[in-house]
Amino acid sequence: MTIEQYAAPETLDELTRLLSGGNALIFAGGTDVMPQTRAGARQFQPYLINASRVAGLRGISREGARIRIGALTTVTDILESNLLSEHVPVLVEAADCFASGQVRNTATLGGNLCNASPAADLAIPLLLVDAELELSSNDNGAPSRRVVPISDFFVAPGKTVLKPTEILTRVIFDAPPSGFRARFIKFGTRPALDIAVVSVGVAGATANMVFAITRVAFGAAAPTPIRGKKTEELLEGRLLVDDTILAASSAAQKDVSPISDVRGSAWYRRELVRTLTERALHDVA
Amino acid sequence: MTVIEKQTLIGKAIPKLDGPKKVTGEARYVQDIELPRMLFAKILRSSRVHARIVRIDTSAARKLPGVHAVITAADTPGVPLGHGKDNPPLKSDKVRSLRDEVAAVAAESEDIAERALSLIEVDYEDLPAVFDPNAALLDDAPVIHESHPDNIPFTYEYSQGDVGQGERDSDVVIEDKFTLHFVTHCCMGVSGAVAQFDADDNLTVYSQTQVPFLYKKDIAPIIDVPPEKIRVIQPSIGGGFGSKLDIYPFEPICILLARATRRPVKLTFTREEEFLASPTRQPVELTLRSGVKKDGTLTFRDVATVHDNGAYTSWGATTPFVIMQTISSLYRVPHCSYRTTVVYTNNPYSGSFRGFGNLQATFAVESHMDKLAEAVAMDPLAFRLQNAQQPGETTPQGMVFRSCGLAECLTTAAERSGFVEKHARYSRYGRGQNGQGGPVKRGVGIASLLHVGGGAKIYRSDGCGTMLKIDDYGHVTVLTGASEIGQGSETVIAQFVAEELGLPISSISVVNDDSELTPWDVGVHASRTTFIAGNSAQRAARKAREKLLAAAATKLELSAEELDLREGNVTRADTGEALLELPRLIRSLHFAKKSEVVMTAEYYEPPSVPQDKEFKGDVSASYAFGTQVVELEVDTETGVIRIVKVTAAHDVGRVINSLGIQGQIEGGVAMGMGYAISEHLLVDEGVIQNPCFRDYKLVTAPEMPEIDMHFIETLDPEGPSGAKGVGEAPAICIAAAVVNAVYNATGTRFDSLPLTPERVLRRLKNHA
Ligand SMILES: Cc1cc2nc3c(=O)[nH]c(=O)nc-3n(C[C@H](O)[C@H](O)[C@H](O)COP(=O)(O)OP(=O)(O)OC[C@H]3O[C@@H](n4cnc5c(N)ncnc54)[C@H](O)[C@@H]3O)c2cc1C
């Protein structure tokens, strides 16, 4: 497929109007789009829309209890954000083991989520904080918006609930309460420039003087990034003693449904899920 | 009387002369060559692993605007290339592997060429295929080349002493099978060539070859151009590691397209193509039986190997030459026998790769050395020392170790790393006894190596020519046959010349990239360049020095013995007092009545001999040794191996450029580590599964361990200033040291590579 038209709109309104015409592909940092089209794994559409000039979609801010991150915010922006380091260090941890410096400088948060890789690193911490995704479109000339919880956003590898006429504009979540502790562990076979073989995130908070886990999430262990519901249930309200951690890491294996590929077999991914869950829980306990 | 100390350049840290150009992007690689009216070529490769070609229809491709030529086998002289002369540049009757070249296009852009490829129609009739060399040996196996109905292009047999006697002398006999995998060179500069014919049918090829003179002879019949009409220009090469020792189909294809179009043609690979269509290190299955006496004396070794040759024969098929050396001569073994069967399969084919079979051989031999040591309850160091080769030894295979630092390498690497104490301590821990609780276990492993260090006489000559001239400002131009492929030969050659002529290194230019100018050389292989080209350059410079001193002596009315060349001057030999500026001396020669230019030439031929029919003989003028100790951690819950430290002691003869050796050792360790723990070209039924750097895991900077290097200077009597080759050595023994260390840490011994986390965990958990 050859590109017939290229547009670089400067306002969201202009962009959503272009999108509503259909047959368009959004290009943010291009770090997924370019390698995928070159490898023949994805086709360009007749319209290529460069989103990177749209005003107001890049940046991290806090309004009251709510933290908002624009979809065009780069991984480097996340890594260097004092606000995020203070409130959600786990998101910064994920940015810290993401790709390489060059890729981080252009790769965007929106691209990472909308590309919907089961291994998307930034999805895991956002699952831990119950992030909501703001999707914008143009409905017969009028701007329109809907909000989807991140746990409902991913559908299958490379597929989300995003309609072809919609763009992800913002990621929003409540600043975690004090006493919030979380950990993200990405397992790659080398420390840099690696796609996760498996990743694990855990988060918890202190209620009634007891620290307990509230959220567990897994990457590259199912067709999409997922919450570990069974593990969460097992851990709910419980003190993180060794027996509980052991039981939870076995439960984690029931949450996942990994595949075998060149990066690892299903057997190996299950082993990693157990070990990494155990290690992550020990780290926050 | 003030005496000025003589400065020497030998042993100093000299930054590579081509460094600034490479760092700033000024260096021109084949990708950067642009000629007027140049066309771009692309190759159509087979989509089948083994099939008869029924029909090729190129008519639609030819009609595409911008296409200048489409060629198939019918447009070639039909002469096959490669070591086995079994690989036609374009295939006519059948394809035997996925990389097989079927047709090629020259067009005005790469895009057009690529579109043209998609318009070429090829009908195939699939044939049964075979991927396992053992299966290819069965009677009813598919035949890959009709010329070899048994699928065996080569066999090798070697023996010394009487293995039966050795077995009777043994108290312990151990047998193991080792299986080595596919890896590939991963040169940062992908393959490519530019070819151009002039009006007189002279061909200029911009080539990445590391053997420019043999190249002319080898490629001539394939393209039907006489060798004397071929000029080879070698732009900067982005990594060779042996891969550019052979000619692969893409080069004749590029040249044939240039002839068909009468225009310059450029052909460069994509990275994916580089993975799919460059040679690999040969996978080997090696069965090793060794014996030892209770007192720790080795008695015999009996080895049988099966090599997966792939579909065609490149240099990979000849690695037994090197494998045998390690088996027969790394340690003293009185009785030895060795048999190799090289087998055709429908897999990618193997070429020459740094170490040339020695990584595979050393992995097996040095794993076994640890097992044998354990069997006779000796520590691995003491056991190796007891059997180590000594200086002055002539091995049963006929190698003469005029210098040999093996024992010193062993003791140095062991002492500096605390090997003996750690090995004893970790092995207690590793077996689950006291201490070292937790999932992460530590281990140390040791391994040594033997490799040629003074060339290898596999052709009638193993020589190298040098021509040297000095201009009237004292600037020296050295024309050497030796190619620079990133290994630093240019710098070392300049050092030798500068040293003899008492000039700063900046006064020397080295010309090494144009066969029209440079004298003959065998090529870059066998870790030979510092030794052979260095000797040649040093001798050429010595001749110039004698000439200059003789002229100066006449002019100054002194004897030549009283004079020296230092810092650009003719000086007194004893005090260093400057008497005459070198440029003035040269000008006075130019402008004298009987005028003369200062120009010398040298052809250095090492005193080595070719092996006889039984593979015996002193094939190299010098031999290199080394020992590496690896300390590592094994995470027994994830299978991850983290190499913490490598202590490397190498017998380098004499350090010429300490920075250069440091670079070779660091690079060799990275390459050897990759072979040991992460690199794996996954070939499934002939199809490469991971043709990209995302999934083919080279070692990256954060994984590099601390490297503690020790240069053992044994001052080789034949080496230039005592040096010997060290190019391949640092990559050779690390894999063996890694498996030995993993055993030390966990009590689990691996007999195949790479030790990727999943493979390690499977073994530790006994999960098939
Ligand atoms: C060398 C390398 C290393 C990498 N390492 C990692 C890693 O460690 N971890 C990791 O998770 N990923 C990694 N990636 C993948 C990639 O970098 C990330 O997924 C990145 O965040 C994608 O962002 P982008 O802006 O480049 O997306 P693009 O490539 O521009 O877009 C990706 C997809 O999202 C769509 N899209 C982009 N923005 C929006 C939007 N606002 N609304 C709707 N749709 C949108 C695009 O249409 C496209 O389908 C790596 C990639 C490379 C090349």
Side-chain angles (χ1 to χ4, degrees), chain A residues 35 38-39 187-195 197 260-269 271-272 274-276 278-279, chain B residues 270 439-440 635-640 682 689-690 693-700 702-703 756-759 761-762 765 767:
Chain A
R38 283 207 63 152
F187 184 88
T189 53
R190 62 186 175 208
L193 258 182
D194 211 355
I195 305 296
V197 180
S260 294
D261 63 15
V262 288
R263 285 188 272 282
S265 70
W267 171 82
Y268 186 55
R269 288 193 157 103
E271 289 290 315
L272 287 176
R274 188 183 55 216
T275 300
L276 301 185
E278 189 182 332
R279 288 184 182 180
Chain B
T270 61
V440 178
D635 184 332
T636 55
E637 289 176 351
T638 60
V640 171
L682 297 163
Q689 305 294 311
N690 54 343
F693 282 129
R694 184 187 60 201
D695 297 325
Y696 183 96
K697 306 276 185 176
L698 282 180
V699 168
T700 59
E703 292 142 276
T756 53
E758 176 161 356
R759 294 190 67 233
L761 195 71
R762 271 181 194 277
K765 299 226 154 188
H767 190 278

Side-chain angles (χ1 to χ4, degrees), chain A residues 19 24-36 42 49 51 57 71-73 75 94 97-100 103-104 106-117 119-123 135 153 158 162-163 166-169 186 193-196, chain B residues 694:
Chain A
L19 269 184
L25 178 69
I26 296 175
F27 181 103
T31 62
D32 278 319
V33 168
M34 291 314 295
Q36 288 169 5
R42 171 205 283 271
I49 302 181
L57 290 189
L72 292 175
T73 305
V75 180
C97 53
F98 194 105
S100 62
V103 175
R104 284 179 211 154
T106 51
T108 65
L109 171 60
N112 194 235
L113 298 178
C114 296
N115 183 60
S117 159
D121 283 329
L122 302 179
L135 315 181
F153 182 67
L162 202 72
K163 294 185 192 128
E166 284 177 323
I167 175 170
L168 169 66
T169 38
K186 171 177 176 176
L193 258 182
D194 211 355
I195 305 296
Chain B
R694 184 187 60 201

Side-chain angles (χ1 to χ4, degrees), chain B residues 554-585:
Chain B
T554 312
K555 203 172 162 69
L556 296 165
E557 298 180 341
L558 290 162
S559 78
E561 289 72 43
E562 290 172 280
L563 299 174
D564 196 2
L565 298 175
R566 298 186 196 178
E567 287 164 43
N569 294 307
V570 178
T571 68
R572 279 189 186 281
D574 50 2
T575 63
E577 182 198 344
L579 302 173
L580 177 60
E581 288 170 14
L582 193 64
R584 289 182 75 108
L585 173 66

Side-chain angles (χ1 to χ4, degrees), chain B residues 224-239:
Chain B
D224 196 18
V225 175
E228 64 273 20
K229 288 181 87 74
I230 304 174
R231 175 182 186 179
V232 183
I233 295 179
Q234 297 160 278
S236 290
I237 294 174

